[in-house]
Every structure is written in structure tokens, then in C-alpha cells.
Amino acid sequence: MEELDAFRREYENTTIWCGTKFEGGCGRRLTTRRCTGKICHFAHYGADGAGQRCGRTAKGKDSADHLFAKAHLAAWLRAHGLTAEFTYPEPLGSAVRAQLDDGRAFLLHLDRNRPVAWDDEAWEIVLGPGVPVITDILKRRGYIHRIRFENRPGGGRVMKFGTELPGQGTIWDSLDEVTLTHEGLATVARPDGVRIPVSEVSRRSVVSERAIVTVTRSHPHPAKAARQDDPVKRAVMHLDRALREQTNQIYDAIGAIRQLLETGQTPEDIGRLRLALGRAKVWMEQQAAYRREVIGRLKDQPTSALLAEAAQLVKDPDATLEEREAVHTAQIRYEDDRAAYRELVKQRALRRQQREAEQHERTAAQRSQDAERRRLAEQASTERRQAEAEQALANRRQAEAAQRQAHAEKLAYLALFLSGSLKKAAREGRTTTWEEIGQKTGQRQLGDLSYEDKLDLLEMVEKGTLPDNPLWSTVLAAVGTGEALRLHRDTSQRLQRLVPDSDSELLTQLTADCAQLRRQW
């Protein structure tokens, strides 16, 4: 509770936001929440379950390992009087990079699903929780630094620092027990570093609104600049980097350290140089063992890959004359075997060509016969398809003619009912509709006819109507609907009768025609 009050007082004029720079942030403003039954924590304004859901609330603490690691490393460096500039390589959250003000860089690799960039120019590479490492890389480097996080009683997380050694597992320290040396990071498992004197630096933190606090670069201290010119330091760093990156400059670095040991050095520098030579000796022994292993395999079964690797290994200054002669003998044996193999391949190729020529002749004759059979089969198939198409066309035309005949007979049958219904409606002085006629005559299909069928049916009914007499279908058109008027106009056009263009004039004429039809009875 007291810590929350102190935090609020210190950042009274600072706004805090759920940043979108890292995975899951929603960009909304945060506030501090006082709790009695659990740890005080940040919360979103209006966090009542409504609106946008923040992705961070659905993730565990591990999703923010890059932020925890940056905070712990920054505090650790400040305790040693050092400052650094922190960056987050892409993709965000996969790594943390700390660039010290003396030019060195730490790379903290956190992504378990991405390969570690061992060729990075970082002075030291540290692996995060659960990041795998290839056994051969661990063996060649001799160690791997790691970090992990533990929950702290009462809230918060503690970062542990460990060193993994080949065949021994990881030995864990508190981060406070890790020291920075010329050679690297000195830990319980790797205590061969010399503590670098540190200078006092400002403890002032830099806080900006809606930004993550960053340790900024400061100007190099004169004492640090002097240390950068230290030849012992340069030689040791050169050797360590060559050992770490497995470059071809390892022996040059060893020679430089031996030359320095022959000159006047302080006891501390002599100790540093001898420690470095000790690491080099371990590497040389491992290199010699590996060289013997490769040459042994080369003697059993020479291959181009083994020859290339062995030829490179015997270039080492400590390679023996016997090892070089063994590689030379294996080279001769390999070339003789290759020559014999090439001759064998040549003879096999000649025999294969003869068999292929004979097979080609047999295949050509078979293909000719097959082609003739296919031609005859295709010709018969074409003729059969043509006959089937002609028969199908004739059947379709016959079916269409029968369908048209049936339709015409159907219309002629309905015309009788329609003609009688129209005349009856005219006699009674009323209008009617297709649906009404269908219901009264029992021919309900009259109401379901298409527009064209209705038009054909009216034409059949009115063909016998004299030119000077009104059309019997007037009693249908007088209803006044859009379809009724259009049918009357189209029927009149087929019968070459003139009708008014205006619907109002046409309705007037239809009313008069209905009256005339009624008088005819």
C-alpha cells in the first residue's frame, strides 16, 4: 500500500497507457488500483467488461519477459556504474539488445521458436527461458549464459542468471552476483573474469509521457577510454571473440597473447593473459581431438566432405606431420577410387545406351501399331457420335413439334371457355378477369397462363369478330389494370385495330365499347 502511495506521488503528473508497441496492448489509458486482498496493480479506465477487450489481460507473465529483462538489466548496469541504450529487435518481444556506452553490446534472445543468431556481432549472447541450444554449439563455445524468472513473494518477478556448461547443466546465480569482466560475464560457474573498475554515473531516470523508460547513452568516462586502449584487454577480447565465433583468427590471437606475456606486464595482466591462454588451450585440445576424429573417419571411408574438412583442419599450426600425410594419402586414395568409379560408370552407360537403342526400336514399332489402332478407333467413335447427334436432333425437333401441337390444342380448348365467358359478361354488362373466368368455368389454369399465351388465346377468340364491332375482350381490358390495358393494346395491334395512346382515352373508349356490346344482345 505504501509503495502504491509513493508511486502515485512520484508520477502524479504522468499519464500511463497500455502500449501498442508490444503484443496485445490496446492503447487505452491505465490507472492504478488499490487492493487489499491481492497485489495493487494497473487497470484500464472503465474496465467493466464493456467495449474493446485488451489482449494483454489474456496472456501470462511470460509474454512480457522482454520488459522484465530490460528493467532488471538496466538496474544491474546502473549498480555497476554503466549505462546502455536498449532496443527491441523485430519481431517485438523476441529479443532485447543492450548497447553499452563503451561500444560493447549484449543480445538477450527470448523467442523459443526462432534460431539464435550466433553470428551476431554482440559481445555476449544470453538465452531466455526455454530457448534450445545445439549441443555442438555449446561444446564449441564451452558455455552458454541463460536467464529465467521467478515469482517474488508479495508480488513481482526476480530474474536469475545462470551458466550452462557441457555435460553439467545450468548453474544459477542471483543477478547481483554476476560481475562484468574484460573477458565476459563472471559467474559462479565461470569465475574467470576480472572485475572492471566502474565510475560513478548519474542515477537520474528519464521518464516521458506515454513512453517506456529507456536508459540513455552517456559520454564515455576518461577512465573507460583509457581501458579501451589497454592492449591486454584488446588481446583477450580478440581471443574470446575468435573463440566464440570460431573464426580463423584464433591462432593469431593466441600468438598475440604469448608475445604480450614475453613483455613486462603487471601481475594482474599476467593472470588475465594466462586465464585466456587456459581457455585457448582447452579449445586447442578440443580442436585436436576433433581433428583426429575427422582424420580417423577419413581413413575408413574417404569422402569429398571429409577431405575438405580435414584439409582445412591440418592447416592448424599444431597439426602433426603424420596427420598431414594421412590426409594426403586419403586424397590419393580418394582420387584413385573416383577414377575407377568413373570408368565403371562409363561402361555401365555404354551398356545402358545399347539397351535403350534396342528398346527404342521395339517401342517405335509398337507406337506405330498403337497409333493406327487409335486412328481407326477414333474414326469409328467420330462416326458414332455424329450419328447419335443427328438422331438426338431429330428426336428433339419431334418432341418440340409435339409440344407445340399439344400447346396449340390446349389453347384451342381454353378458347371455347374464354369466348363464352366474355360474351356472357358483355351480355350482363359487367367486366371480368382471367381468374374469375377460370373459377366460373372450372378452368383454373386460365389464371396461370403466361402473358404470351393470354395474347395468343385472345387472338384466337377475336379472329371471328367483325372489324366494325368491338372486341369481346373489352370486358377484360375495362378492368383498367396495367396488364389488362397492355393485353388489349397488343391484341388490337395483332388484329390491326387502332387504339388511343393515352390510358385515360383508352378507358373512355373501352367504356363505350362495353355499352355497345351490351346493346348487341
Side-chain angles (χ1 to χ4, degrees):
M1 302 290 247
E2 292 81 10
E3 292 178 349
L4 176 61
D5 294 334
F7 180 86
R8 287 178 171 178
R9 286 193 299 271
E10 183 177 356
Y11 297 99
E12 181 180 3
N13 298 321
T14 301
T15 55
I16 304 172
W17 305 80
C18 183
T20 57
K21 183 177 181 181
F22 300 107
E23 181 184 10
C26 63
R28 290 183 291 166
R29 187 174 174 181
L30 301 176
T31 184
T32 53
R33 177 168 293 175
R34 184 187 302 274
C35 299
T36 55
K38 57 182 179 179
I39 300 172
C40 300
H41 57 275
F42 288 106
H44 294 76
Y45 270 103
D48 56 355
Q52 176 187 1
R53 177 177 174 81
C54 179
R56 295 295 308 173
T57 60
K59 299 181 180 297
K61 296 179 181 178
D62 292 347
S63 63
D65 277 352
H66 50 286
L67 302 179
F68 287 106
K70 181 259 182 184
H72 283 85
L73 287 177
W76 176 72
L77 288 172
R78 286 198 298 271
H80 288 73
L82 298 174
T83 57
E85 185 176 67
F86 289 87
T87 56
Y88 300 95
E90 294 291 341
L92 293 176
S94 64
V96 179
R97 192 178 187 89
Q99 186 73 36
L100 275 64
D101 55 4
D102 62 2
R104 291 177 293 175
F106 289 99
L107 176 64
L108 178 56
H109 184 99
L110 297 168
D111 194 335
R112 304 176 185 179
N113 300 318
R114 297 175 65 86
V116 181
W118 294 111
D119 57 347
D120 191 275
E121 296 182 358
W123 183 63
E124 189 60 79
I125 297 177
V126 182
L127 304 186
V131 177
V133 62
I134 300 174
T135 304
D136 186 59
I137 292 179
L138 176 59
K139 180 179 177 182
R140 288 176 177 270
R141 285 175 57 91
Y143 71 96
I144 295 292
H145 287 316
R146 291 184 173 276
I147 66 163
R148 72 180 185 191
F149 294 94
E150 296 179 354
N151 293 331
R152 182 174 57 193
R157 306 188 83 193
V158 176
M159 188 170 82
K160 306 290 287 185
F161 199 95
T163 302
E164 182 179 356
L165 301 176
Q168 300 182 34
T170 304
I171 301 173
W172 294 97
D173 302 333
S174 167
L175 185 59
D176 297 334
E177 297 172 352
V178 181
T179 57
L180 194 63
T181 72
H182 288 84
E183 289 76 23
L185 298 175
T187 65
V188 173
R190 189 170 176 264
D192 52 357
V194 178
R195 181 75 176 269
I196 299 177
V198 296
S199 61
E200 292 296 323
V201 296
S202 173
R203 304 288 179 170
R204 181 180 57 187
S205 61
V206 180
V207 182
S208 60
E209 187 175 34
R210 294 194 69 177
I212 297 175
V213 178
T214 303
V215 181
T216 58
R217 184 190 301 274
S218 63
H219 295 289
H221 192 278
K224 295 177 183 176
R227 286 199 299 273
Q228 292 175 6
D229 296 331
D230 184 356
V232 173
K233 173 186 174 182
R234 289 201 307 272
V236 172
M237 290 182 61
H238 179 59
L239 174 62
D240 283 345
R241 182 167 183 175
L243 288 172
R244 184 167 57 250
E245 299 177 358
Q246 295 296 301
T247 66
N248 55 5
Q249 299 178 353
I250 295 177
Y251 288 99
D252 294 338
I254 294 173
I257 289 179
R258 287 173 175 169
Q259 289 179 3
L260 285 173
L261 282 172
E262 295 175 358
T263 62
Q265 300 293 338
T266 65
E268 179 183 348
D269 287 343
I270 291 174
R272 294 159 60 192
L273 292 171
R274 286 178 178 174
L275 284 173
L277 280 180
R279 293 192 297 278
K281 181 180 179 182
V282 172
W283 177 85
M284 291 172 65
E285 291 173 352
Q286 294 174 348
Q287 183 78 347
Y290 182 68
R291 185 167 59 245
R292 289 192 295 271
E293 178 189 349
V294 171
I295 293 175
R297 285 188 284 147
L298 184 64
K299 291 178 180 179
D300 295 336
Q301 184 62 47
T303 64
S304 59
L306 283 175
L307 275 171
E309 188 172 10
Q312 187 65 31
L313 288 171
V314 295
K315 292 179 182 179
D316 294 344
D318 58 342
T320 64
L321 178 61
E322 181 184 358
E323 290 174 335
R324 294 190 178 94
E325 290 178 350
V327 173
H328 179 67
T329 301
Q331 178 72 35
I332 295 175
R333 175 187 169 188
Y334 176 77
E335 291 175 356
D336 292 343
D337 291 345
R338 291 293 297 173
Y341 176 74
R342 284 194 294 270
E343 180 63 25
L344 178 62
V345 170
K346 181 179 178 181
Q347 295 299 326
R348 289 178 177 175
L350 289 175
R351 290 194 294 270
R352 184 174 62 253
Q353 289 175 1
Q354 292 175 357
R355 291 194 300 270
E356 290 176 352
E358 295 171 357
Q359 180 64 31
H360 178 72
E361 293 178 358
R362 291 193 296 268
T363 303
Q366 185 64 39
R367 279 201 297 265
S368 177
Q369 296 175 5
D370 293 343
E372 180 63 18
R373 284 196 295 269
R374 285 196 298 272
R375 186 187 68 78
L376 293 175
E378 290 175 357
Q379 180 178 355
S381 177
T382 301
E383 293 174 354
R384 183 174 63 256
R385 287 196 300 270
Q386 184 176 359
E388 291 174 351
E390 292 175 354
Q391 182 61 41
L393 179 61
N395 293 340
R396 185 169 61 254
R397 288 176 176 173
Q398 184 177 359
E400 291 174 352
Q403 185 177 6
R404 287 193 296 271
Q405 178 65 28
H407 187 66
E409 293 175 355
K410 171 187 173 182
L411 293 181
Y413 173 74
L414 294 175
L416 298 174
F417 292 95
L418 179 61
S419 176
S421 297
L422 293 177
K423 292 178 179 179
K424 182 179 180 181
R427 183 172 62 250
E428 296 174 354
R430 58 181 176 82
T431 60
T432 187
T433 64
W434 291 89
E435 289 76 10
E436 182 181 359
I437 295 173
Q439 292 175 358
K440 290 184 176 181
T441 61
Q443 305 299 319
R444 298 184 183 278
Q445 53 188 318
L446 283 169
D448 299 329
L449 293 175
S450 66
Y451 182 85
E452 291 297 328
D453 286 345
K454 290 179 179 179
L455 192 58
D456 292 341
L457 197 55
L458 291 175
E459 183 179 5
M460 293 173 62
V461 170
E462 300 292 359
K463 277 186 177 181
T465 304
L466 296 176
D468 295 333
N469 292 340
L471 298 176
W472 297 106
S473 59
T474 299
V475 296
L476 283 171
V479 174
T481 62
E483 182 185 32
L485 295 177
R486 188 156 64 95
L487 274 172
H488 186 75
R489 280 196 169 94
D490 291 342
T491 303
S492 300
Q493 184 178 2
R494 286 192 177 186
L495 299 175
Q496 298 182 353
R497 293 193 177 205
L498 297 177
V499 294
D501 294 333
S502 170
D503 287 349
S504 59
E505 293 178 359
L506 177 58
L507 287 172
T508 302
Q509 178 181 320
L510 291 172
T511 301
D513 289 346
C514 286
Q516 184 178 349
L517 287 172
R518 188 168 55 251
R519 288 193 298 271
Q520 289 181 5
W521 294 96

mmCIF file with all atom_site columns, all heavy atoms in Angstrom, residues 17-30:
data_model
loop_
_atom_site.group_PDB
_atom_site.id
_atom_site.type_symbol
_atom_site.label_atom_id
_atom_site.label_alt_id
_atom_site.label_comp_id
_atom_site.label_asym_id
_atom_site.label_entity_id
_atom_site.label_seq_id
_atom_site.pdbx_PDB_ins_code
_atom_site.Cartn_x
_atom_site.Cartn_y
_atom_site.Cartn_z
_atom_site.occupancy
_atom_site.B_iso_or_equiv
_atom_site.pdbx_formal_charge
_atom_site.auth_seq_id
_atom_site.auth_comp_id
_atom_site.auth_asym_id
_atom_site.auth_atom_id
_atom_site.pdbx_PDB_model_num
ATOM 1   N N   . TRP A 1 17 ? -0.255  4.482   -20.188 1.00 0.00 ? 17 TRP A N   1
ATOM 2   C CA  . TRP A 1 17 ? -1.113  3.918   -21.239 1.00 0.00 ? 17 TRP A CA  1
ATOM 3   C C   . TRP A 1 17 ? -0.744  2.460   -21.494 1.00 0.00 ? 17 TRP A C   1
ATOM 4   O O   . TRP A 1 17 ? 0.397   2.045   -21.261 1.00 0.00 ? 17 TRP A O   1
ATOM 5   C CB  . TRP A 1 17 ? -0.965  4.711   -22.546 1.00 0.00 ? 17 TRP A CB  1
ATOM 6   C CG  . TRP A 1 17 ? -1.231  6.174   -22.367 1.00 0.00 ? 17 TRP A CG  1
ATOM 7   C CD1 . TRP A 1 17 ? -0.387  7.118   -21.864 1.00 0.00 ? 17 TRP A CD1 1
ATOM 8   C CD2 . TRP A 1 17 ? -2.445  6.854   -22.646 1.00 0.00 ? 17 TRP A CD2 1
ATOM 9   N NE1 . TRP A 1 17 ? -0.977  8.335   -21.822 1.00 0.00 ? 17 TRP A NE1 1
ATOM 10  C CE2 . TRP A 1 17 ? -2.246  8.216   -22.303 1.00 0.00 ? 17 TRP A CE2 1
ATOM 11  C CE3 . TRP A 1 17 ? -3.680  6.453   -23.166 1.00 0.00 ? 17 TRP A CE3 1
ATOM 12  C CZ2 . TRP A 1 17 ? -3.241  9.160   -22.464 1.00 0.00 ? 17 TRP A CZ2 1
ATOM 13  C CZ3 . TRP A 1 17 ? -4.664  7.412   -23.342 1.00 0.00 ? 17 TRP A CZ3 1
ATOM 14  C CH2 . TRP A 1 17 ? -4.438  8.752   -22.980 1.00 0.00 ? 17 TRP A CH2 1
ATOM 15  N N   . CYS A 1 18 ? -1.709  1.700   -21.982 1.00 0.00 ? 18 CYS A N   1
ATOM 16  C CA  . CYS A 1 18 ? -1.485  0.304   -22.375 1.00 0.00 ? 18 CYS A CA  1
ATOM 17  C C   . CYS A 1 18 ? -0.877  0.328   -23.772 1.00 0.00 ? 18 CYS A C   1
ATOM 18  O O   . CYS A 1 18 ? -1.590  0.445   -24.773 1.00 0.00 ? 18 CYS A O   1
ATOM 19  C CB  . CYS A 1 18 ? -2.807  -0.477  -22.364 1.00 0.00 ? 18 CYS A CB  1
ATOM 20  S SG  . CYS A 1 18 ? -2.620  -2.235  -22.749 1.00 0.00 ? 18 CYS A SG  1
ATOM 21  N N   . GLY A 1 19 ? 0.450   0.262   -23.856 1.00 0.00 ? 19 GLY A N   1
ATOM 22  C CA  . GLY A 1 19 ? 1.151   0.493   -25.113 1.00 0.00 ? 19 GLY A CA  1
ATOM 23  C C   . GLY A 1 19 ? 0.842   -0.531  -26.183 1.00 0.00 ? 19 GLY A C   1
ATOM 24  O O   . GLY A 1 19 ? 0.690   -1.715  -25.911 1.00 0.00 ? 19 GLY A O   1
ATOM 25  N N   . THR A 1 20 ? 0.780   -0.078  -27.427 1.00 0.00 ? 20 THR A N   1
ATOM 26  C CA  . THR A 1 20 ? 0.533   -0.966  -28.564 1.00 0.00 ? 20 THR A CA  1
ATOM 27  C C   . THR A 1 20 ? 1.824   -1.374  -29.247 1.00 0.00 ? 20 THR A C   1
ATOM 28  O O   . THR A 1 20 ? 1.795   -2.072  -30.249 1.00 0.00 ? 20 THR A O   1
ATOM 29  C CB  . THR A 1 20 ? -0.372  -0.254  -29.594 1.00 0.00 ? 20 THR A CB  1
ATOM 30  O OG1 . THR A 1 20 ? 0.271   0.966   -29.988 1.00 0.00 ? 20 THR A OG1 1
ATOM 31  C CG2 . THR A 1 20 ? -1.717  0.054   -28.999 1.00 0.00 ? 20 THR A CG2 1
ATOM 32  N N   . LYS A 1 21 ? 2.978   -0.952  -28.691 1.00 0.00 ? 21 LYS A N   1
ATOM 33  C CA  . LYS A 1 21 ? 4.240   -1.309  -29.329 1.00 0.00 ? 21 LYS A CA  1
ATOM 34  C C   . LYS A 1 21 ? 4.528   -2.789  -29.186 1.00 0.00 ? 21 LYS A C   1
ATOM 35  O O   . LYS A 1 21 ? 5.181   -3.403  -30.004 1.00 0.00 ? 21 LYS A O   1
ATOM 36  C CB  . LYS A 1 21 ? 5.379   -0.485  -28.719 1.00 0.00 ? 21 LYS A CB  1
ATOM 37  C CG  . LYS A 1 21 ? 6.747   -0.744  -29.368 1.00 0.00 ? 21 LYS A CG  1
ATOM 38  C CD  . LYS A 1 21 ? 7.803   0.144   -28.774 1.00 0.00 ? 21 LYS A CD  1
ATOM 39  C CE  . LYS A 1 21 ? 9.152   -0.100  -29.444 1.00 0.00 ? 21 LYS A CE  1
ATOM 40  N NZ  . LYS A 1 21 ? 10.225  0.741   -28.876 1.00 0.00 ? 21 LYS A NZ  1
ATOM 41  N N   . PHE A 1 22 ? 4.020   -3.392  -28.097 1.00 0.00 ? 22 PHE A N   1
ATOM 42  C CA  . PHE A 1 22 ? 4.269   -4.804  -27.852 1.00 0.00 ? 22 PHE A CA  1
ATOM 43  C C   . PHE A 1 22 ? 2.972   -5.588  -27.969 1.00 0.00 ? 22 PHE A C   1
ATOM 44  O O   . PHE A 1 22 ? 1.876   -5.032  -27.976 1.00 0.00 ? 22 PHE A O   1
ATOM 45  C CB  . PHE A 1 22 ? 4.903   -4.997  -26.478 1.00 0.00 ? 22 PHE A CB  1
ATOM 46  C CG  . PHE A 1 22 ? 6.210   -4.278  -26.353 1.00 0.00 ? 22 PHE A CG  1
ATOM 47  C CD1 . PHE A 1 22 ? 6.307   -3.132  -25.594 1.00 0.00 ? 22 PHE A CD1 1
ATOM 48  C CD2 . PHE A 1 22 ? 7.313   -4.743  -27.020 1.00 0.00 ? 22 PHE A CD2 1
ATOM 49  C CE1 . PHE A 1 22 ? 7.495   -2.465  -25.498 1.00 0.00 ? 22 PHE A CE1 1
ATOM 50  C CE2 . PHE A 1 22 ? 8.510   -4.071  -26.923 1.00 0.00 ? 22 PHE A CE2 1
ATOM 51  C CZ  . PHE A 1 22 ? 8.610   -2.929  -26.161 1.00 0.00 ? 22 PHE A CZ  1
ATOM 52  N N   . GLU A 1 23 ? 3.126   -6.901  -28.063 1.00 0.00 ? 23 GLU A N   1
ATOM 53  C CA  . GLU A 1 23 ? 1.997   -7.799  -28.353 1.00 0.00 ? 23 GLU A CA  1
ATOM 54  C C   . GLU A 1 23 ? 0.847   -7.632  -27.366 1.00 0.00 ? 23 GLU A C   1
ATOM 55  O O   . GLU A 1 23 ? 1.025   -7.705  -26.167 1.00 0.00 ? 23 GLU A O   1
ATOM 56  C CB  . GLU A 1 23 ? 2.499   -9.245  -28.312 1.00 0.00 ? 23 GLU A CB  1
ATOM 57  C CG  . GLU A 1 23 ? 1.424   -10.255 -28.613 1.00 0.00 ? 23 GLU A CG  1
ATOM 58  C CD  . GLU A 1 23 ? 1.950   -11.662 -28.462 1.00 0.00 ? 23 GLU A CD  1
ATOM 59  O OE1 . GLU A 1 23 ? 3.059   -11.812 -27.957 1.00 0.00 ? 23 GLU A OE1 1
ATOM 60  O OE2 . GLU A 1 23 ? 1.231   -12.591 -28.848 1.00 0.00 ? 23 GLU A OE2 1
ATOM 61  N N   . GLY A 1 24 ? -0.351  -7.390  -27.892 1.00 0.00 ? 24 GLY A N   1
ATOM 62  C CA  . GLY A 1 24 ? -1.557  -7.421  -27.079 1.00 0.00 ? 24 GLY A CA  1
ATOM 63  C C   . GLY A 1 24 ? -2.015  -6.094  -26.522 1.00 0.00 ? 24 GLY A C   1
ATOM 64  O O   . GLY A 1 24 ? -3.106  -6.006  -25.981 1.00 0.00 ? 24 GLY A O   1
ATOM 65  N N   . GLY A 1 25 ? -1.208  -5.014  -26.554 1.00 0.00 ? 25 GLY A N   1
ATOM 66  C CA  . GLY A 1 25 ? -1.640  -3.738  -25.995 1.00 0.00 ? 25 GLY A CA  1
ATOM 67  C C   . GLY A 1 25 ? -2.798  -3.151  -26.773 1.00 0.00 ? 25 GLY A C   1
ATOM 68  O O   . GLY A 1 25 ? -2.921  -3.330  -27.982 1.00 0.00 ? 25 GLY A O   1
ATOM 69  N N   . CYS A 1 26 ? -3.699  -2.432  -26.044 1.00 0.00 ? 26 CYS A N   1
ATOM 70  C CA  . CYS A 1 26 ? -4.888  -1.894  -26.709 1.00 0.00 ? 26 CYS A CA  1
ATOM 71  C C   . CYS A 1 26 ? -4.831  -0.386  -26.878 1.00 0.00 ? 26 CYS A C   1
ATOM 72  O O   . CYS A 1 26 ? -5.679  0.195   -27.550 1.00 0.00 ? 26 CYS A O   1
ATOM 73  C CB  . CYS A 1 26 ? -6.142  -2.283  -25.920 1.00 0.00 ? 26 CYS A CB  1
ATOM 74  S SG  . CYS A 1 26 ? -6.188  -1.591  -24.244 1.00 0.00 ? 26 CYS A SG  1
ATOM 75  N N   . GLY A 1 27 ? -3.853  0.296   -26.249 1.00 0.00 ? 27 GLY A N   1
ATOM 76  C CA  . GLY A 1 27 ? -3.705  1.740   -26.424 1.00 0.00 ? 27 GLY A CA  1
ATOM 77  C C   . GLY A 1 27 ? -4.584  2.586   -25.530 1.00 0.00 ? 27 GLY A C   1
ATOM 78  O O   . GLY A 1 27 ? -4.583  3.811   -25.649 1.00 0.00 ? 27 GLY A O   1
ATOM 79  N N   . ARG A 1 28 ? -5.354  1.961   -24.619 1.00 0.00 ? 28 ARG A N   1
ATOM 80  C CA  . ARG A 1 28 ? -6.207  2.752   -23.727 1.00 0.00 ? 28 ARG A CA  1
ATOM 81  C C   . ARG A 1 28 ? -5.426  3.200   -22.492 1.00 0.00 ? 28 ARG A C   1
ATOM 82  O O   . ARG A 1 28 ? -4.402  2.622   -22.139 1.00 0.00 ? 28 ARG A O   1
ATOM 83  C CB  . ARG A 1 28 ? -7.435  1.941   -23.324 1.00 0.00 ? 28 ARG A CB  1
ATOM 84  C CG  . ARG A 1 28 ? -8.429  1.715   -24.456 1.00 0.00 ? 28 ARG A CG  1
ATOM 85  C CD  . ARG A 1 28 ? -9.648  0.966   -23.955 1.00 0.00 ? 28 ARG A CD  1
ATOM 86  N NE  . ARG A 1 28 ? -9.312  -0.413  -23.620 1.00 0.00 ? 28 ARG A NE  1
ATOM 87  C CZ  . ARG A 1 28 ? -10.105 -1.208  -22.923 1.00 0.00 ? 28 ARG A CZ  1
ATOM 88  N NH1 . ARG A 1 28 ? -11.256 -0.755  -22.460 1.00 0.00 ? 28 ARG A NH1 1
ATOM 89  N NH2 . ARG A 1 28 ? -9.749  -2.443  -22.655 1.00 0.00 ? 28 ARG A NH2 1
ATOM 90  N N   . ARG A 1 29 ? -5.964  4.207   -21.810 1.00 0.00 ? 29 ARG A N   1
ATOM 91  C CA  . ARG A 1 29 ? -5.284  4.758   -20.645 1.00 0.00 ? 29 ARG A CA  1
ATOM 92  C C   . ARG A 1 29 ? -5.443  3.825   -19.433 1.00 0.00 ? 29 ARG A C   1
ATOM 93  O O   . ARG A 1 29 ? -6.474  3.168   -19.262 1.00 0.00 ? 29 ARG A O   1
ATOM 94  C CB  . ARG A 1 29 ? -5.858  6.140   -20.322 1.00 0.00 ? 29 ARG A CB  1
ATOM 95  C CG  . ARG A 1 29 ? -5.088  6.873   -19.231 1.00 0.00 ? 29 ARG A CG  1
ATOM 96  C CD  . ARG A 1 29 ? -5.593  8.282   -19.033 1.00 0.00 ? 29 ARG A CD  1
ATOM 97  N NE  . ARG A 1 29 ? -4.942  8.919   -17.908 1.00 0.00 ? 29 ARG A NE  1
ATOM 98  C CZ  . ARG A 1 29 ? -5.211  10.154  -17.484 1.00 0.00 ? 29 ARG A CZ  1
ATOM 99  N NH1 . ARG A 1 29 ? -6.123  10.871  -18.117 1.00 0.00 ? 29 ARG A NH1 1
ATOM 100 N NH2 . ARG A 1 29 ? -4.579  10.651  -16.459 1.00 0.00 ? 29 ARG A NH2 1
ATOM 101 N N   . LEU A 1 30 ? -4.398  3.785   -18.595 1.00 0.00 ? 30 LEU A N   1
ATOM 102 C CA  . LEU A 1 30 ? -4.386  2.946   -17.406 1.00 0.00 ? 30 LEU A CA  1
ATOM 103 C C   . LEU A 1 30 ? -4.441  3.798   -16.139 1.00 0.00 ? 30 LEU A C   1
ATOM 104 O O   . LEU A 1 30 ? -4.041  4.970   -16.156 1.00 0.00 ? 30 LEU A O   1
ATOM 105 C CB  . LEU A 1 30 ? -3.125  2.074   -17.366 1.00 0.00 ? 30 LEU A CB  1
ATOM 106 C CG  . LEU A 1 30 ? -2.909  1.115   -18.541 1.00 0.00 ? 30 LEU A CG  1
ATOM 107 C CD1 . LEU A 1 30 ? -1.574  0.401   -18.393 1.00 0.00 ? 30 LEU A CD1 1
ATOM 108 C CD2 . LEU A 1 30 ? -4.036  0.098   -18.628 1.00 0.00 ? 30 LEU A CD2 1
#
